[in-house]
Amino acid sequence: MPDTPFTLRHDDNGTEAVVSVAGTDVAHYVYRPDTPVEESPKPYLYPLRTLSGAPLGVYRPWDHRWHKGLQMTWSHLSGDNFWGGPTFEDGAPGHGYVWRENHGTQLHRAFDQNTTTEDTELTLREHLDWVASNDDRWLTEVRTLRFHSADPARGIWALDFGSDLTNVHDGALHMGSPTTHGRPNAGYTGLFWRGPRAWTDGDVIGADDHEGEDLMGARVPWAAIASDHDEIDGGATVLALAGTSSADVPLTWFARSKQFAALNPSPAFDTEIKLAPGETLRLRHRFVFIDRRTARRELEPLAAEFTL
C-alpha cells in the first residue's frame, strides 16, 4: 500500500499540533484547549479532514457544547464527570441529567520526542494528568496518536489512538457511563467521535450485518458512518475499529446517526470498570477516514485490511 509522508507543526502559542499530508491539514490536535470548566477541558482532534480537505467533525454543537471532534472522555468516573455537561443520575427529575460542580480536567504535561517510520507515519506520545473537581490527581495517562496509511490514490488515511490510564488515586476508581447508572443505551464513555451536522441520518454500517440503530450496544469489531457533505459535492466515510481493552469488560458500540452522527467504542457501556490503585487500563483503537461515501461491500475488505 503506497504511503504518503505526514508532517507536523506546532502553533506559536504551544496549544495545538497540526498534522498535514499531501498538502492538506488533516488534523489539529488541540492539547491545551481554552474550554469552560463545565465542558470538562480535555485535548481534542478538530478540525479533522479527509485528504481532499472535506470536514469530518463538529465543534461545540448547540445541543452538546462539550462535543469536539474526536476526543478521549469519561462520563462517570467515581462521581466526577470528565465528559462535560450535566451528569446522569438515575431517578433525578426530568430526563435524569443534573448540573453538578463535578467536572474533571485532562491536563497536557509533555510530549515525548516525535517519531517517524520511513518518513511515512507520524507518532505523538503525550503525557497527561486527569485532575478531579477537587483538584486531586486521579489518573496519569500516556496517550499515543499514530497517523499512518495515507494513500491519496484511494483517498484514505488512518489514526491509531492508544491510551494507558494509571490510577494514582489513593482508592479504587469506578469507571462507568450513564447506562451503568441507569439509562438504557446511553453507554457513551471513552474515545468519542461526533460527526458533522450534515451527517445526521447518515448510513450506519457495522460488522456481522449490523446496520442503523441495531448497532447500538453491539459488540462487533468495527462500525462506520457514511454520509454526504454540506457546501461541497460528494461524501465521506469514517470507519472505526473497536480494537482492544485490557479490562475484562468487552468493548461495546455507542453508535448512532438519527439524532446526530457519533461513533464510540465504549470501554464501559453497561458494566463499570474498577481500577485499583496503581493499576493501568490500556485501550487501543483505530479510525480510518475515507474520502468518499462507501457501502458495505467496500467497507468489509477495508475493515479486514485495517484490523487491529
Side-chain angles (χ1 to χ4, degrees):
M1 177 170 58
D3 288 345
T4 300
F6 289 86
T7 61
L8 175 72
R9 68 181 187 274
H10 289 266
D11 71 331
D12 293 337
N13 297 322
T15 60
E16 67 179 80
V18 182
V19 177
S20 302
V21 62
T24 299
D25 293 344
V26 294
H28 291 237
Y29 183 57
V30 181
Y31 52 89
R32 288 194 178 101
D34 181 15
T35 301
V37 67
E38 295 81 10
E39 297 172 18
S40 297
K42 64 185 75 64
Y44 57 84
L45 286 147
Y46 180 87
L48 272 173
R49 298 186 180 95
T50 67
L51 290 182
S52 71
L56 291 171
V58 69
Y59 175 79
R60 295 192 77 241
W62 62 264
D63 50 22
H64 297 78
R65 294 297 189 197
W66 43 95
H67 290 181
K68 298 174 176 70
L70 179 64
Q71 57 185 354
M72 181 65 183
T73 70
W74 217 282
S75 51
H76 286 258
L77 179 55
S78 289
D80 263 26
N81 178 346
F82 286 83
W83 168 269
T87 299
F88 181 82
E89 297 179 4
D90 195 16
H95 296 290
Y97 284 93
V98 180
W99 284 96
R100 301 292 191 202
E101 293 182 358
N102 66 340
H103 294 92
T105 301
Q106 297 173 28
L107 294 175
H108 167 85
R109 294 308 187 193
F111 286 118
D112 285 354
Q113 184 177 359
N114 301 321
T115 60
T116 60
T117 303
E118 298 179 357
D119 295 326
T120 59
E121 63 180 59
L122 173 69
T123 300
L124 288 172
R125 192 166 185 263
E126 182 186 18
H127 299 265
L128 304 101
D129 289 335
W130 290 46
V131 179
S133 56
N134 65 359
D135 293 329
D136 287 346
R137 188 176 63 149
W138 282 6
L139 291 162
T140 60
E141 181 184 5
V142 178
R143 180 176 300 181
T144 304
L145 303 174
R146 176 178 169 245
F147 302 83
H148 64 98
S149 301
D151 186 344
R154 296 199 298 166
I156 291 175
W157 71 276
L159 169 67
D160 289 0
F161 190 102
S163 178
D164 291 358
L165 293 161
T166 301
N167 181 357
V168 294
H169 190 40
D170 56 8
L173 292 173
H174 297 266
M175 310 175 77
S177 72
T179 294
T180 67
H181 285 68
R183 186 184 178 203
N185 283 334
Y188 51 82
T189 205
L191 184 63
F192 187 89
W193 170 79
R194 170 76 186 259
R197 185 72 66 179
W199 288 40
T200 304
D201 251 353
D203 296 335
V204 181
I205 304 165
D208 300 340
D209 293 324
H210 285 279
E211 291 190 358
E213 295 301 300
D214 75 340
L215 194 59
M216 182 69 79
R219 294 169 176 170
V220 295
W222 60 269
I225 296 181
S227 193
D228 292 321
H229 304 300
D230 277 341
E231 298 187 23
I232 58 177
D233 294 336
T237 305
V238 173
L239 167 64
L241 289 301
T244 61
S245 169
S246 63
D248 293 334
V249 179
L251 293 163
T252 304
W253 286 104
F254 182 92
R256 61 157 37 141
S257 72
K258 292 296 183 185
Q259 182 180 353
F260 52 76
L263 290 172
N264 165 220
S266 174
F269 187 93
D270 56 11
T271 305
E272 278 194 343
I273 297 169
K274 183 179 179 181
L275 197 66
E279 188 177 1
T280 299
L281 172 66
R282 295 179 174 85
L283 301 169
R284 301 290 184 268
H285 310 295
R286 175 172 290 165
F287 275 70
V288 182
F289 305 105
I290 307 163
D291 214 345
R292 60 191 173 279
R293 190 166 183 162
T294 59
R296 176 177 296 280
R297 64 181 178 275
E298 184 176 2
L299 281 170
E300 287 179 342
L302 279 173
E305 176 185 347
F306 282 94
T307 189
L308 274 168

